[in-house]
């Protein structure tokens, strides 16, 4: 006697087919919700996760924004608990580690695109402002990447003398400043420009060069050097 396929067997078949498509064609052949499904499979082993993936995208907008979302906000979506948050945050951390280590090995910061990709991945989708400094050696190799301050949705306290003190501790020869605008608009504010000028003026007499100040957001980025503000 033939038995009808169970819901679990359909679910297992879908998961296997999706994994096979990914292994053959990579992420380029999948929709954002399908990439999220692949991540949700381990966290939610016996439920159809496609609706959950689509709810996450509806709430946050894109695969990158889902991965970068704060745990508390992720948990506002139905069926998203600690296991799902852990899977998403592992992927976020792995992506940033890969980008950072790749940058550390290859960067002779002639690769502006590489620096920008890393900074956007690390900060563009944050819900509060974050200020970080990339400390560079004489060959523009990455010495350290440090978050110097975290703030609110529109402000981060920055202490220029602390930035310079840390550069001297690390024997850094150059700096790239980076911060994000959670509003999405990367246009520098008057305060951003003033702070950048202060750091540049403190750094120059000590032989430390300010290469750039990058501002990243959901809607793009800006380079203060390109804007001739440095």
């Amino acid at each position: 006697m033939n038995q009808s396929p169970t819901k679990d067997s359909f679910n297992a078949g879908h998961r296997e087919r999706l994994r096979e498509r990914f292994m053959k064609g990579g992420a380029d052949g999948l929709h954002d919700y399908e990439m999220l499904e692949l991540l949700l499979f381990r966290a939610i082993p016996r439920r159809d996760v496609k609706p959950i993936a689509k709810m996450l995208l509806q709430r946050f907008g894109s695969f990158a924004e889902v991965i970068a979302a704060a745990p508390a906000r992720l948990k506002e979506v139905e069926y998203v608990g600690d296991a799902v948050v852990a899977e998403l945050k592992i992927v976020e951390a792995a992506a940033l580690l890969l980008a950072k280590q790749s940058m550390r090995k290859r960067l002779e910061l002639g690769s502006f695109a590489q620096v920008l990709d890393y900074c956007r991945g690390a900060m563009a989708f944050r819900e509060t402002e974050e200020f970080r400094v990339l400390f560079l050696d004489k060959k523009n190799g990455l010495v350290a990447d440090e978050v110097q301050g975290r703030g609110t949705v529109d402000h981060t306290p920055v202490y220029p003398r602390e930035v310079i003190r840390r550069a001297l501790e690390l024997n850094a020869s150059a700096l790239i400043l980076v911060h994000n605008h959670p509003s999405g608009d990367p246009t520098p504010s008057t305060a951003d420009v003033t702070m950048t000028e202060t750091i540049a003026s403190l750094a120059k007499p000590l032989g430390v060069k300010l290469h750039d100040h990058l501002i990243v957001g959901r809607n793009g980025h800006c380079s203060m050097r390109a804007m001739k503000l440095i």
Side-chain angles (χ1 to χ4, degrees), residues 121-156:
M123 304 172 69
F125 302 110
R126 299 288 183 201
E127 295 177 347
T128 56
E129 276 202 15
E130 187 174 277
F131 176 77
R132 73 198 306 131
V133 183
L134 305 182
F135 297 93
L136 313 174
D137 63 21
K138 291 180 180 179
K139 294 184 179 180
N140 284 333
L142 184 65
V143 175
D145 163 26
E146 297 183 353
V147 175
Q148 296 285 308
R150 292 184 172 90
T152 63
V153 294
D154 59 3
H155 175 71
T156 302

PDB file of all heavy atoms in Angstrom, residues 121-156:
ATOM      1  N   GLY A 121      30.714  46.456   5.976  1.00  0.00           N
ATOM      2  CA  GLY A 121      30.243  45.222   6.602  1.00  0.00           C
ATOM      3  C   GLY A 121      30.217  45.315   8.113  1.00  0.00           C
ATOM      4  O   GLY A 121      29.320  44.781   8.769  1.00  0.00           O
ATOM      5  N   ALA A 122      31.194  46.007   8.679  1.00  0.00           N
ATOM      6  CA  ALA A 122      31.298  46.099  10.130  1.00  0.00           C
ATOM      7  C   ALA A 122      30.330  47.095  10.733  1.00  0.00           C
ATOM      8  O   ALA A 122      29.891  46.934  11.881  1.00  0.00           O
ATOM      9  CB  ALA A 122      32.727  46.484  10.522  1.00  0.00           C
ATOM     10  N   MET A 123      29.954  48.152   9.972  1.00  0.00           N
ATOM     11  CA  MET A 123      29.287  49.280  10.618  1.00  0.00           C
ATOM     12  C   MET A 123      28.049  49.833   9.923  1.00  0.00           C
ATOM     13  O   MET A 123      27.242  50.504  10.564  1.00  0.00           O
ATOM     14  CB  MET A 123      30.291  50.434  10.762  1.00  0.00           C
ATOM     15  CG  MET A 123      31.549  50.084  11.514  1.00  0.00           C
ATOM     16  SD  MET A 123      32.786  51.391  11.444  1.00  0.00           S
ATOM     17  CE  MET A 123      32.007  52.666  12.427  1.00  0.00           C
ATOM     18  N   ALA A 124      27.889  49.618   8.634  1.00  0.00           N
ATOM     19  CA  ALA A 124      26.867  50.359   7.879  1.00  0.00           C
ATOM     20  C   ALA A 124      25.450  50.144   8.392  1.00  0.00           C
ATOM     21  O   ALA A 124      24.612  51.035   8.285  1.00  0.00           O
ATOM     22  CB  ALA A 124      26.942  49.993   6.396  1.00  0.00           C
ATOM     23  N   PHE A 125      25.176  48.969   8.957  1.00  0.00           N
ATOM     24  CA  PHE A 125      23.804  48.657   9.361  1.00  0.00           C
ATOM     25  C   PHE A 125      23.596  48.713  10.875  1.00  0.00           C
ATOM     26  O   PHE A 125      22.560  48.267  11.374  1.00  0.00           O
ATOM     27  CB  PHE A 125      23.400  47.289   8.812  1.00  0.00           C
ATOM     28  CG  PHE A 125      23.503  47.207   7.305  1.00  0.00           C
ATOM     29  CD1 PHE A 125      24.481  46.436   6.703  1.00  0.00           C
ATOM     30  CD2 PHE A 125      22.643  47.922   6.496  1.00  0.00           C
ATOM     31  CE1 PHE A 125      24.592  46.368   5.328  1.00  0.00           C
ATOM     32  CE2 PHE A 125      22.737  47.871   5.121  1.00  0.00           C
ATOM     33  CZ  PHE A 125      23.715  47.091   4.523  1.00  0.00           C
ATOM     34  N   ARG A 126      24.552  49.262  11.585  1.00  0.00           N
ATOM     35  CA  ARG A 126      24.392  49.422  13.030  1.00  0.00           C
ATOM     36  C   ARG A 126      23.272  50.425  13.322  1.00  0.00           C
ATOM     37  O   ARG A 126      23.061  51.379  12.582  1.00  0.00           O
ATOM     38  CB  ARG A 126      25.683  49.926  13.671  1.00  0.00           C
ATOM     39  CG  ARG A 126      26.885  49.011  13.504  1.00  0.00           C
ATOM     40  CD  ARG A 126      26.758  47.782  14.344  1.00  0.00           C
ATOM     41  NE  ARG A 126      27.940  46.943  14.231  1.00  0.00           N
ATOM     42  CZ  ARG A 126      27.955  45.661  14.524  1.00  0.00           C
ATOM     43  NH1 ARG A 126      26.873  45.067  14.952  1.00  0.00           N
ATOM     44  NH2 ARG A 126      29.061  44.953  14.399  1.00  0.00           N
ATOM     45  N   GLU A 127      22.601  50.202  14.439  1.00  0.00           N
ATOM     46  CA  GLU A 127      21.490  51.083  14.799  1.00  0.00           C
ATOM     47  C   GLU A 127      21.921  52.251  15.665  1.00  0.00           C
ATOM     48  O   GLU A 127      21.146  53.157  15.929  1.00  0.00           O
ATOM     49  CB  GLU A 127      20.397  50.264  15.495  1.00  0.00           C
ATOM     50  CG  GLU A 127      19.773  49.223  14.569  1.00  0.00           C
ATOM     51  CD  GLU A 127      18.740  48.365  15.268  1.00  0.00           C
ATOM     52  OE1 GLU A 127      18.675  48.400  16.520  1.00  0.00           O
ATOM     53  OE2 GLU A 127      17.996  47.662  14.569  1.00  0.00           O
ATOM     54  N   THR A 128      23.164  52.219  16.143  1.00  0.00           N
ATOM     55  CA  THR A 128      23.731  53.344  16.889  1.00  0.00           C
ATOM     56  C   THR A 128      25.088  53.684  16.285  1.00  0.00           C
ATOM     57  O   THR A 128      25.710  52.854  15.611  1.00  0.00           O
ATOM     58  CB  THR A 128      23.913  53.015  18.386  1.00  0.00           C
ATOM     59  OG1 THR A 128      24.731  51.843  18.516  1.00  0.00           O
ATOM     60  CG2 THR A 128      22.564  52.776  19.053  1.00  0.00           C
ATOM     61  N   GLU A 129      25.544  54.908  16.543  1.00  0.00           N
ATOM     62  CA  GLU A 129      26.818  55.345  15.979  1.00  0.00           C
ATOM     63  C   GLU A 129      27.993  54.627  16.646  1.00  0.00           C
ATOM     64  O   GLU A 129      27.975  54.345  17.840  1.00  0.00           O
ATOM     65  CB  GLU A 129      26.997  56.857  16.127  1.00  0.00           C
ATOM     66  CG  GLU A 129      26.324  57.647  15.032  1.00  0.00           C
ATOM     67  CD  GLU A 129      26.922  59.041  14.857  1.00  0.00           C
ATOM     68  OE1 GLU A 129      28.019  59.314  15.376  1.00  0.00           O
ATOM     69  OE2 GLU A 129      26.272  59.863  14.185  1.00  0.00           O
ATOM     70  N   GLU A 130      28.997  54.367  15.824  1.00  0.00           N
ATOM     71  CA  GLU A 130      30.216  53.714  16.288  1.00  0.00           C
ATOM     72  C   GLU A 130      31.396  54.395  15.605  1.00  0.00           C
ATOM     73  O   GLU A 130      31.342  54.690  14.410  1.00  0.00           O
ATOM     74  CB  GLU A 130      30.155  52.231  15.920  1.00  0.00           C
ATOM     75  CG  GLU A 130      31.263  51.370  16.482  1.00  0.00           C
ATOM     76  CD  GLU A 130      31.018  49.894  16.183  1.00  0.00           C
ATOM     77  OE1 GLU A 130      30.268  49.255  16.934  1.00  0.00           O
ATOM     78  OE2 GLU A 130      31.566  49.408  15.177  1.00  0.00           O
ATOM     79  N   PHE A 131      32.443  54.670  16.362  1.00  0.00           N
ATOM     80  CA  PHE A 131      33.635  55.324  15.817  1.00  0.00           C
ATOM     81  C   PHE A 131      34.822  54.392  15.974  1.00  0.00           C
ATOM     82  O   PHE A 131      35.098  53.919  17.076  1.00  0.00           O
ATOM     83  CB  PHE A 131      33.894  56.635  16.559  1.00  0.00           C
ATOM     84  CG  PHE A 131      35.161  57.339  16.146  1.00  0.00           C
ATOM     85  CD1 PHE A 131      35.219  58.049  14.950  1.00  0.00           C
ATOM     86  CD2 PHE A 131      36.292  57.295  16.944  1.00  0.00           C
ATOM     87  CE1 PHE A 131      36.378  58.702  14.567  1.00  0.00           C
ATOM     88  CE2 PHE A 131      37.461  57.938  16.567  1.00  0.00           C
ATOM     89  CZ  PHE A 131      37.506  58.647  15.378  1.00  0.00           C
ATOM     90  N   ARG A 132      35.502  54.076  14.865  1.00  0.00           N
ATOM     91  CA  ARG A 132      36.642  53.184  14.921  1.00  0.00           C
ATOM     92  C   ARG A 132      37.821  53.814  14.199  1.00  0.00           C
ATOM     93  O   ARG A 132      37.665  54.712  13.381  1.00  0.00           O
ATOM     94  CB  ARG A 132      36.312  51.807  14.342  1.00  0.00           C
ATOM     95  CG  ARG A 132      36.181  51.760  12.859  1.00  0.00           C
ATOM     96  CD  ARG A 132      35.443  50.504  12.376  1.00  0.00           C
ATOM     97  NE  ARG A 132      36.002  49.270  12.854  1.00  0.00           N
ATOM     98  CZ  ARG A 132      35.263  48.287  13.411  1.00  0.00           C
ATOM     99  NH1 ARG A 132      33.963  48.442  13.575  1.00  0.00           N
ATOM    100  NH2 ARG A 132      35.826  47.166  13.796  1.00  0.00           N
ATOM    101  N   VAL A 133      39.005  53.301  14.526  1.00  0.00           N
ATOM    102  CA  VAL A 133      40.231  53.798  13.915  1.00  0.00           C
ATOM    103  C   VAL A 133      41.030  52.616  13.390  1.00  0.00           C
ATOM    104  O   VAL A 133      41.222  51.617  14.090  1.00  0.00           O
ATOM    105  CB  VAL A 133      41.093  54.582  14.930  1.00  0.00           C
ATOM    106  CG1 VAL A 133      42.330  55.150  14.228  1.00  0.00           C
ATOM    107  CG2 VAL A 133      40.295  55.708  15.572  1.00  0.00           C
ATOM    108  N   LEU A 134      41.466  52.720  12.131  1.00  0.00           N
ATOM    109  CA  LEU A 134      42.405  51.768  11.566  1.00  0.00           C
ATOM    110  C   LEU A 134      43.796  52.382  11.703  1.00  0.00           C
ATOM    111  O   LEU A 134      44.072  53.450  11.144  1.00  0.00           O
ATOM    112  CB  LEU A 134      42.092  51.504  10.092  1.00  0.00           C
ATOM    113  CG  LEU A 134      40.667  51.047   9.753  1.00  0.00           C
ATOM    114  CD1 LEU A 134      40.541  50.789   8.253  1.00  0.00           C
ATOM    115  CD2 LEU A 134      40.264  49.816  10.548  1.00  0.00           C
ATOM    116  N   PHE A 135      44.657  51.733  12.469  1.00  0.00           N
ATOM    117  CA  PHE A 135      46.023  52.199  12.696  1.00  0.00           C
ATOM    118  C   PHE A 135      46.952  51.488  11.710  1.00  0.00           C
ATOM    119  O   PHE A 135      46.921  50.250  11.611  1.00  0.00           O
ATOM    120  CB  PHE A 135      46.461  51.900  14.129  1.00  0.00           C
ATOM    121  CG  PHE A 135      45.640  52.606  15.178  1.00  0.00           C
ATOM    122  CD1 PHE A 135      44.532  51.989  15.743  1.00  0.00           C
ATOM    123  CD2 PHE A 135      45.969  53.890  15.602  1.00  0.00           C
ATOM    124  CE1 PHE A 135      43.771  52.632  16.716  1.00  0.00           C
ATOM    125  CE2 PHE A 135      45.221  54.538  16.577  1.00  0.00           C
ATOM    126  CZ  PHE A 135      44.123  53.914  17.129  1.00  0.00           C
ATOM    127  N   LEU A 136      47.789  52.245  11.006  1.00  0.00           N
ATOM    128  CA  LEU A 136      48.605  51.706   9.927  1.00  0.00           C
ATOM    129  C   LEU A 136      50.093  51.905  10.197  1.00  0.00           C
ATOM    130  O   LEU A 136      50.487  52.869  10.874  1.00  0.00           O
ATOM    131  CB  LEU A 136      48.246  52.385   8.606  1.00  0.00           C
ATOM    132  CG  LEU A 136      46.757  52.506   8.287  1.00  0.00           C
ATOM    133  CD1 LEU A 136      46.555  53.328   7.033  1.00  0.00           C
ATOM    134  CD2 LEU A 136      46.115  51.144   8.155  1.00  0.00           C
ATOM    135  N   ASP A 137      50.904  51.015   9.625  1.00  0.00           N
ATOM    136  CA  ASP A 137      52.349  51.170   9.762  1.00  0.00           C
ATOM    137  C   ASP A 137      52.905  52.000   8.597  1.00  0.00           C
ATOM    138  O   ASP A 137      52.148  52.542   7.788  1.00  0.00           O
ATOM    139  CB  ASP A 137      53.038  49.806   9.883  1.00  0.00           C
ATOM    140  CG  ASP A 137      52.863  48.944   8.633  1.00  0.00           C
ATOM    141  OD1 ASP A 137      52.567  49.483   7.541  1.00  0.00           O
ATOM    142  OD2 ASP A 137      53.027  47.711   8.740  1.00  0.00           O
ATOM    143  N   LYS A 138      54.238  52.058   8.480  1.00  0.00           N
ATOM    144  CA  LYS A 138      54.862  52.901   7.464  1.00  0.00           C
ATOM    145  C   LYS A 138      54.552  52.450   6.041  1.00  0.00           C
ATOM    146  O   LYS A 138      54.622  53.239   5.102  1.00  0.00           O
ATOM    147  CB  LYS A 138      56.386  52.930   7.671  1.00  0.00           C
ATOM    148  CG  LYS A 138      56.804  53.673   8.933  1.00  0.00           C
ATOM    149  CD  LYS A 138      58.315  53.674   9.095  1.00  0.00           C
ATOM    150  CE  LYS A 138      58.715  54.427  10.358  1.00  0.00           C
ATOM    151  NZ  LYS A 138      60.196  54.430  10.559  1.00  0.00           N
ATOM    152  N   LYS A 139      54.238  51.163   5.880  1.00  0.00           N
ATOM    153  CA  LYS A 139      53.895  50.639   4.558  1.00  0.00           C
ATOM    154  C   LYS A 139      52.381  50.589   4.339  1.00  0.00           C
ATOM    155  O   LYS A 139      51.896  49.945   3.414  1.00  0.00           O
ATOM    156  CB  LYS A 139      54.498  49.242   4.372  1.00  0.00           C
ATOM    157  CG  LYS A 139      56.018  49.249   4.339  1.00  0.00           C
ATOM    158  CD  LYS A 139      56.550  47.856   4.063  1.00  0.00           C
ATOM    159  CE  LYS A 139      58.076  47.862   3.993  1.00  0.00           C
ATOM    160  NZ  LYS A 139      58.613  46.501   3.716  1.00  0.00           N
ATOM    161  N   ASN A 140      51.665  51.252   5.222  1.00  0.00           N
ATOM    162  CA  ASN A 140      50.198  51.256   5.171  1.00  0.00           C
ATOM    163  C   ASN A 140      49.601  49.871   5.422  1.00  0.00           C
ATOM    164  O   ASN A 140      48.494  49.571   4.970  1.00  0.00           O
ATOM    165  CB  ASN A 140      49.677  51.812   3.841  1.00  0.00           C
ATOM    166  CG  ASN A 140      49.789  53.322   3.793  1.00  0.00           C
ATOM    167  OD1 ASN A 140      49.774  53.976   4.833  1.00  0.00           O
ATOM    168  ND2 ASN A 140      49.911  53.872   2.603  1.00  0.00           N
ATOM    169  N   GLY A 141      50.329  49.020   6.122  1.00  0.00           N
ATOM    170  CA  GLY A 141      49.764  47.753   6.575  1.00  0.00           C
ATOM    171  C   GLY A 141      48.962  47.979   7.840  1.00  0.00           C
ATOM    172  O   GLY A 141      49.240  48.891   8.617  1.00  0.00           O
ATOM    173  N   LEU A 142      47.958  47.152   8.049  1.00  0.00           N
ATOM    174  CA  LEU A 142      47.081  47.311   9.208  1.00  0.00           C
ATOM    175  C   LEU A 142      47.768  46.837  10.484  1.00  0.00           C
ATOM    176  O   LEU A 142      48.151  45.676  10.603  1.00  0.00           O
ATOM    177  CB  LEU A 142      45.783  46.532   8.990  1.00  0.00           C
ATOM    178  CG  LEU A 142      44.716  46.678  10.061  1.00  0.00           C
ATOM    179  CD1 LEU A 142      44.192  48.108  10.115  1.00  0.00           C
ATOM    180  CD2 LEU A 142      43.566  45.709   9.811  1.00  0.00           C
ATOM    181  N   VAL A 143      47.932  47.741  11.436  1.00  0.00           N
ATOM    182  CA  VAL A 143      48.503  47.406  12.745  1.00  0.00           C
ATOM    183  C   VAL A 143      47.399  47.006  13.712  1.00  0.00           C
ATOM    184  O   VAL A 143      47.503  46.015  14.438  1.00  0.00           O
ATOM    185  CB  VAL A 143      49.285  48.604  13.324  1.00  0.00           C
ATOM    186  CG1 VAL A 143      49.772  48.312  14.739  1.00  0.00           C
ATOM    187  CG2 VAL A 143      50.446  48.971  12.418  1.00  0.00           C
ATOM    188  N   ALA A 144      46.315  47.790  13.734  1.00  0.00           N
ATOM    189  CA  ALA A 144      45.203  47.506  14.655  1.00  0.00           C
ATOM    190  C   ALA A 144      43.936  48.157  14.126  1.00  0.00           C
ATOM    191  O   ALA A 144      43.976  49.183  13.438  1.00  0.00           O
ATOM    192  CB  ALA A 144      45.508  48.017  16.054  1.00  0.00           C
ATOM    193  N   ASP A 145      42.833  47.543  14.451  1.00  0.00           N
ATOM    194  CA  ASP A 145      41.497  48.055  14.114  1.00  0.00           C
ATOM    195  C   ASP A 145      40.740  48.106  15.432  1.00  0.00           C
ATOM    196  O   ASP A 145      40.429  47.063  16.004  1.00  0.00           O
ATOM    197  CB  ASP A 145      40.831  47.109  13.113  1.00  0.00           C
ATOM    198  CG  ASP A 145      39.322  47.312  13.021  1.00  0.00           C
ATOM    199  OD1 ASP A 145      38.855  48.422  13.313  1.00  0.00           O
ATOM    200  OD2 ASP A 145      38.623  46.344  12.661  1.00  0.00           O
ATOM    201  N   GLU A 146      40.467  49.294  15.921  1.00  0.00           N
ATOM    202  CA  GLU A 146      39.879  49.415  17.252  1.00  0.00           C
ATOM    203  C   GLU A 146      38.664  50.330  17.255  1.00  0.00           C
ATOM    204  O   GLU A 146      38.683  51.410  16.659  1.00  0.00           O
ATOM    205  CB  GLU A 146      40.921  49.957  18.239  1.00  0.00           C
ATOM    206  CG  GLU A 146      42.101  49.027  18.425  1.00  0.00           C
ATOM    207  CD  GLU A 146      43.114  49.521  19.448  1.00  0.00           C
ATOM    208  OE1 GLU A 146      42.972  50.678  19.939  1.00  0.00           O
ATOM    209  OE2 GLU A 146      44.039  48.771  19.761  1.00  0.00           O
ATOM    210  N   VAL A 147      37.614  49.895  17.940  1.00  0.00           N
ATOM    211  CA  VAL A 147      36.451  50.749  18.168  1.00  0.00           C
ATOM    212  C   VAL A 147      36.796  51.679  19.320  1.00  0.00           C
ATOM    213  O   VAL A 147      37.100  51.230  20.427  1.00  0.00           O
ATOM    214  CB  VAL A 147      35.200  49.918  18.495  1.00  0.00           C
ATOM    215  CG1 VAL A 147      34.035  50.839  18.854  1.00  0.00           C
ATOM    216  CG2 VAL A 147      34.834  49.021  17.314  1.00  0.00           C
ATOM    217  N   GLN A 148      36.758  52.973  19.053  1.00  0.00           N
ATOM    218  CA  GLN A 148      37.137  53.969  20.057  1.00  0.00           C
ATOM    219  C   GLN A 148      35.932  54.520  20.819  1.00  0.00           C
ATOM    220  O   GLN A 148      36.083  55.115  21.873  1.00  0.00           O
ATOM    221  CB  GLN A 148      37.877  55.123  19.374  1.00  0.00           C
ATOM    222  CG  GLN A 148      39.191  54.721  18.736  1.00  0.00           C
ATOM    223  CD  GLN A 148      40.283  54.499  19.755  1.00  0.00           C
ATOM    224  OE1 GLN A 148      40.533  55.350  20.602  1.00  0.00           O
ATOM    225  NE2 GLN A 148      40.946  53.361  19.679  1.00  0.00           N
ATOM    226  N   GLY A 149      34.747  54.339  20.256  1.00  0.00           N
ATOM    227  CA  GLY A 149      33.565  54.858  20.951  1.00  0.00           C
ATOM    228  C   GLY A 149      32.273  54.354  20.348  1.00  0.00           C
ATOM    229  O   GLY A 149      32.200  54.089  19.146  1.00  0.00           O
ATOM    230  N   ARG A 150      31.276  54.185  21.204  1.00  0.00           N
ATOM    231  CA  ARG A 150      29.921  53.833  20.768  1.00  0.00           C
ATOM    232  C   ARG A 150      28.964  54.831  21.384  1.00  0.00           C
ATOM    233  O   ARG A 150      29.161  55.267  22.519  1.00  0.00           O
ATOM    234  CB  ARG A 150      29.555  52.408  21.203  1.00  0.00           C
ATOM    235  CG  ARG A 150      30.353  51.332  20.489  1.00  0.00           C
ATOM    236  CD  ARG A 150      29.873  49.942  20.882  1.00  0.00           C
ATOM    237  NE  ARG A 150      30.487  48.902  20.074  1.00  0.00           N
ATOM    238  CZ  ARG A 150      31.614  48.286  20.380  1.00  0.00           C
ATOM    239  NH1 ARG A 150      32.252  48.611  21.508  1.00  0.00           N
ATOM    240  NH2 ARG A 150      32.122  47.357  19.587  1.00  0.00           N
ATOM    241  N   GLY A 151      27.925  55.183  20.653  1.00  0.00           N
ATOM    242  CA  GLY A 151      27.043  56.232  21.148  1.00  0.00           C
ATOM    243  C   GLY A 151      25.584  55.965  20.902  1.00  0.00           C
ATOM    244  O   GLY A 151      25.107  54.829  21.035  1.00  0.00           O
ATOM    245  N   THR A 152      24.873  56.998  20.507  1.00  0.00           N
ATOM    246  CA  THR A 152      23.424  56.943  20.295  1.00  0.00           C
ATOM    247  C   THR A 152      23.147  56.863  18.796  1.00  0.00           C
ATOM    248  O   THR A 152      24.044  56.623  17.995  1.00  0.00           O
ATOM    249  CB  THR A 152      22.759  58.190  20.891  1.00  0.00           C
ATOM    250  OG1 THR A 152      23.235  59.358  20.187  1.00  0.00           O
ATOM    251  CG2 THR A 152      23.107  58.332  22.365  1.00  0.00           C
ATOM    252  N   VAL A 153      21.900  57.086  18.426  1.00  0.00           N
ATOM    253  CA  VAL A 153      21.548  57.000  17.012  1.00  0.00           C
ATOM    254  C   VAL A 153      22.157  58.134  16.204  1.00  0.00           C
ATOM    255  O   VAL A 153      22.240  58.061  14.974  1.00  0.00           O
ATOM    256  CB  VAL A 153      20.011  57.008  16.813  1.00  0.00           C
ATOM    257  CG1 VAL A 153      19.409  55.748  17.393  1.00  0.00           C
ATOM    258  CG2 VAL A 153      19.374  58.244  17.420  1.00  0.00           C
ATOM    259  N   ASP A 154      22.590  59.212  16.838  1.00  0.00           N
ATOM    260  CA  ASP A 154      23.129  60.329  16.063  1.00  0.00           C
ATOM    261  C   ASP A 154      24.362  60.986  16.690  1.00  0.00           C
ATOM    262  O   ASP A 154      24.734  62.098  16.330  1.00  0.00           O
ATOM    263  CB  ASP A 154      22.050  61.389  15.825  1.00  0.00           C
ATOM    264  CG  ASP A 154      21.481  61.955  17.122  1.00  0.00           C
ATOM    265  OD1 ASP A 154      21.966  61.571  18.209  1.00  0.00           O
ATOM    266  OD2 ASP A 154      20.556  62.782  17.044  1.00  0.00           O
ATOM    267  N   HIS A 155      25.019  60.300  17.630  1.00  0.00           N
ATOM    268  CA  HIS A 155      26.189  60.910  18.259  1.00  0.00           C
ATOM    269  C   HIS A 155      27.068  59.842  18.899  1.00  0.00           C
ATOM    270  O   HIS A 155      26.578  58.891  19.495  1.00  0.00           O
ATOM    271  CB  HIS A 155      25.751  61.906  19.342  1.00  0.00           C
ATOM    272  CG  HIS A 155      26.908  62.474  20.116  1.00  0.00           C
ATOM    273  ND1 HIS A 155      27.795  63.373  19.574  1.00  0.00           N
ATOM    274  CD2 HIS A 155      27.339  62.246  21.392  1.00  0.00           C
ATOM    275  CE1 HIS A 155      28.714  63.687  20.492  1.00  0.00           C
ATOM    276  NE2 HIS A 155      28.461  63.018  21.588  1.00  0.00           N
ATOM    277  N   THR A 156      28.379  60.002  18.717  1.00  0.00           N
ATOM    278  CA  THR A 156      29.361  59.169  19.405  1.00  0.00           C
ATOM    279  C   THR A 156      30.428  60.081  20.005  1.00  0.00           C
ATOM    280  O   THR A 156      30.976  60.923  19.293  1.00  0.00           O
ATOM    281  CB  THR A 156      30.064  58.204  18.425  1.00  0.00           C
ATOM    282  OG1 THR A 156      29.095  57.380  17.791  1.00  0.00           O
ATOM    283  CG2 THR A 156      31.052  57.313  19.160  1.00  0.00           C
TER     284      THR A 156
END
